[in-house]
Amino acid sequence: MNHPYPGERVSANAVPSLRSGMTEVELVWIEKRLEHWIRFGRIAAERIVSRRTRIVSFRPHAIFALVRWTANDFGTVHSRIDILRAVAPGEAYTTAPFVRPGGELYLSIQGWAKVRAVLAAIDAVDAAGVDPCDAAPDHWRHVHNRLSAGEPPRLYTAERHAAWLKRKAIEG
């Protein structure tokens, strides 16, 4: 998958996701070796490329979590989770592996123990009765910062979500 470099000018005709205005994510599954999956997100379209590869698309401003895991004969080699917001055409973005063109990065964590902690934080948002897609972006930044510092993140509660919705309404 070709990714533009930050600041690189790319023709809208050169990259299908730029033409459609959607963010595309390449998902791969090779049993016990390589897995990419979406933990949460509202998928707008899906295209099957092969038995092991598919491409999902997200509309601008959609928030999603991409989990990537790789193993060899001795166990897990790499695990990572990224939470991103799909960008609209013309918006600045951060490039991310397997995400075309890229997105606004809210969280990027590596290492299975920390990835597990992020998955638990996502489950906690679900348990609070909130779709993780609708949670405050600041919460995902908070989770990233706390886990990066080796500290547990605060829980996302219904009260925090209500405060976020009020803030969002005021800011327009």
Side-chain angles (χ1 to χ4, degrees), residues 33-52:
R33 291 291 179 179
L34 176 70
E35 296 179 16
H36 299 174
W37 74 90
I38 299 296
R39 171 53 183 88
F40 68 81
R42 295 184 182 106
I43 297 170
E46 181 177 2
R47 186 170 78 244
I48 296 174
V49 177
S50 70
R51 190 172 67 86
R52 295 180 174 175

Side-chain angles (χ1 to χ4, degrees), residues 44-146:
E46 181 177 2
R47 186 170 78 244
I48 296 174
V49 177
S50 70
R51 190 172 67 86
R52 295 180 174 175
T53 306
R54 63 189 174 112
I55 296 175
V56 295
S57 301
F58 295 92
R59 289 187 176 87
H61 310 294
I63 297 173
F64 61 93
L66 170 63
V67 181
R68 294 185 294 131
W69 172 87
T70 309
N72 63 18
D73 293 337
F74 303 103
T76 300
V77 174
H78 179 77
S79 56
R80 175 175 170 163
I81 185 167
D82 295 313
I83 298 179
L84 302 110
R85 181 185 64 85
V87 294
E91 276 189 296
Y93 58 85
T94 301
T95 57
F98 304 97
V99 179
R100 188 184 313 137
E104 181 180 355
L105 191 62
Y106 292 156
L107 175 146
S108 184
I109 294 288
Q110 295 184 55
W112 186 241
K114 289 182 179 180
V115 169
R116 257 196 337 253
V118 173
L119 294 172
I122 293 168
D123 291 342
V125 170
D126 273 331
V130 177
D131 186 327
C133 301
D134 299 326
D138 288 343
H139 177 68
W140 302 123
R141 291 182 187 109
H142 162 78
V143 171
H144 169 90
N145 291 334
R146 295 290 291 203

Side-chain angles (χ1 to χ4, degrees), residues 148-160:
S148 294
E151 295 291 327
R154 287 188 303 269
L155 289 178
Y156 192 75
T157 62
E159 293 80 19
R160 286 183 190 270

Side-chain angles (χ1 to χ4, degrees), residues 1 10-25 44-47 55-61 86-90 99-102:
M1 185 163 175
V10 179
S11 164
N13 294 327
V15 180
S17 60
L18 294 179
R19 270 197 316 270
S20 70
M22 301 235 264
T23 297
E24 294 182 335
V25 180
E46 181 177 2
R47 186 170 78 244
I55 296 175
V56 295
S57 301
F58 295 92
R59 289 187 176 87
H61 310 294
V87 294
V99 179
R100 188 184 313 137

